[in-house]
Amino acid sequence: MTPSGRGGRRLAQPRRAARFRATFAACVWATLASAAARAEVPRDAGERAFLKCYSCHSVDPREAGLSGPNLFGVVGRRAASLADFPYSPAMKLAAARGLVWTEEALDRYLADPLEAISGTTMSFPGLRDAGERRAIIAYLRRSR
Amino acid sequence: MKRLVATFAVGIALAVLPQLAAAEGRFTTFKLPEGHYPHDVSPGPDGLIFYADQRRGGVGIVDPKTGKIEKVSFGEGSAPHGVFTGPDGKAWLTDGGLNAIVGYDPAMKKFTVYRLPEETGYTNLNTAAVDRNGDVWFTGQTGVYGKVDVKSGKVTAWAAPKGRGPYGITATKKGDVYYASLAGSYVGRIDIATGKVTVLEPPTKNQGARRVWADSKDRIWVSEWNSGNVSVYDPANGSWKQWRLPGSNPKTYAVYVDDEDKVWLADWGANTLVRFDPVTEKFESFPLPAETANVRQIDGRKGEILLPLSGPRLVAVFKK
C-alpha cells in the first residue's frame, strides 16, 4: 500500500497485504478520501493467477478471518485440518475419507470445485485454464 | 431405550433444521445449455431473464414463455460475474475475464465494452448498480470500486477501504450507492458526487457482508456469509438490526428486497430460499428444487423471484 508518485494508492496484492493491513490499522475510518486504484501487476504468473483466489484466501500465515481457509502450506496438507476454520460438512466428510491436498487433488478441485466435492461452500466456480491452475498450484507450493 | 434414542434424534433434527414451507409447484426451472454457468440473474424486458455466464462468457437470455435460451457472446476471455438491469432496460455485466463493464441493449441487440483503466490491473469484477444519474457503479474483489460515466464512456476506479473484498452493490431509490465488502466485513456508502466512501460496520464482527439490497425506505439489507445473519442499516438514524437465519449452520449468500419490502435470502447451509418479513420478524424457508443449488444471487419482479442455481446450472423462477 505504497503511495505512488502520482498520488494514487496501489492495490494491496497477495504478498503486500500484511503491509496494507498495518497501514490500515493506523487509520481512523470515517469518510475516506478516494484514491485512484493503481495496481502493481505481479510478475509471477502464479501470484497473478492467485488474484482470483485472493479475495477469500491468504498465503500469509498470520492472516485469519477471511471467508476461505489460509492456504499457507496447503500443498500436501490434509483437507479441513485448520483448527480455527469452519469448514463445510462436505469438506469435513472428504477429509474423513482421506482427502489430502496433493497437486493432483488441488488441480481437480480448482477445475470444478462442486464437481470435485459436492456440497462444498467454496463459491468459486472453477478455472478452465489448466495453465492457470498449474501456476496457482506452483505458487501455493512455494508458499510454505 | 431404542424409542428414546429415536425420539431424541428426531428432536435434535427438528431443532437444527429450519421449518420448511411448501414449495411444490412454485418453482419453474430452466436447464441451461451444456457448459453454461449462471452466476447472477436479472429481469429483462417482456418477461425475459438475463444471466451472467461466468464459464462460457457473455450474457444468456431465457424466455420463460417458450423455454428458449439465447446467448450473446462478448468475445474471447469473457467471464462475467454479475448482471444488473438498469431502469432503461439495459443489462450491465461485470466481466472479470475482460476486466470491463459490458452494457447490453436488448432493444438494439448491441453491447458496449467499457474497459477499466490499464493501471487498475486485474480487479476480479463483481457486481454493478445504476445510480440516479444513470451512471453505473461496480465493485472488484481485489479491492476496487468504480464508476462508468455512461454518457462519456469514462471509467474511474478507486482503491477500496480495507483493500480486498468489495462484492455486492446496490442503489437506493434516492440514487445513493452502497456496497458490501466480504473480506472487509463492512458496508461502504459511496458519495456519488466525489467517489468518497464512508465505512459502516454491521454489529457482528467479521460477519462477511456479501451482498446488499435497498428497500423502498432506502434501508440497506445485508446478507452476512460468515455469521449467517441478515442485517439492516437505516441511513435515517444510523441504526443497525440483525437476525440469524433458521437452522444450525446458515450461510447467507444473497439478499433481495421485493416490491412489498419482503426480504429474500439464499441460505447455502440449508439449501433454501428464505423469506423474511421485517414487520413480523418471521422467517419462512422454501427448499430449493435441486441439491446443492448454490444460489449466488437473487433478483425479481412483480410476483416472481428469479434465482440462478449455479450448482445444477439452472435458472429458476419462484412464484410468490
Side-chain angles (χ1 to χ4, degrees), chain A residues 9 11 20 24 29 31-32 34-39 52 54-55 57 63 65-66 111-112 114 119 121 123 125-126 128, chain B residues 37 54-55 119-120 122 141 143 157-159 161-164 183 194 196-198 206 210 225 253 292 296 311 313:
Chain A
R9 203 163 54 170
L11 294 179
F20 167 71
F24 169 70
W29 292 108
T31 301
L32 295 158
S34 50
R38 299 180 199 285
K52 291 182 178 172
Y54 165 72
S55 310
H57 296 279
E63 196 164 26
L66 293 172
D112 192 336
L114 196 57
T121 51
S123 57
R128 272 189 298 161
Chain B
Y37 187 95
Q54 199 178 31
R55 278 289 180 97
E119 66 269 22
T120 310
Y122 173 75
Q141 278 191 268
W158 291 276
K162 301 197 191 187
R164 64 176 150 209
T194 63
K196 288 178 183 173
V197 167
T198 301
N206 195 31
R210 184 155 212 148
W225 175 250
Y253 198 110
T292 323
R296 296 171 187 273
R313 274 75 154 163

Side-chain angles (χ1 to χ4, degrees), chain B residues 41-65:
Chain B
V41 294
S42 194
D46 305 322
L48 299 176
I49 303 168
F50 297 124
Y51 64 90
D53 185 349
Q54 199 178 31
R55 278 289 180 97
R56 291 290 162 97
V59 62
I61 306 168
V62 179
D63 184 345
K65 289 188 207 109

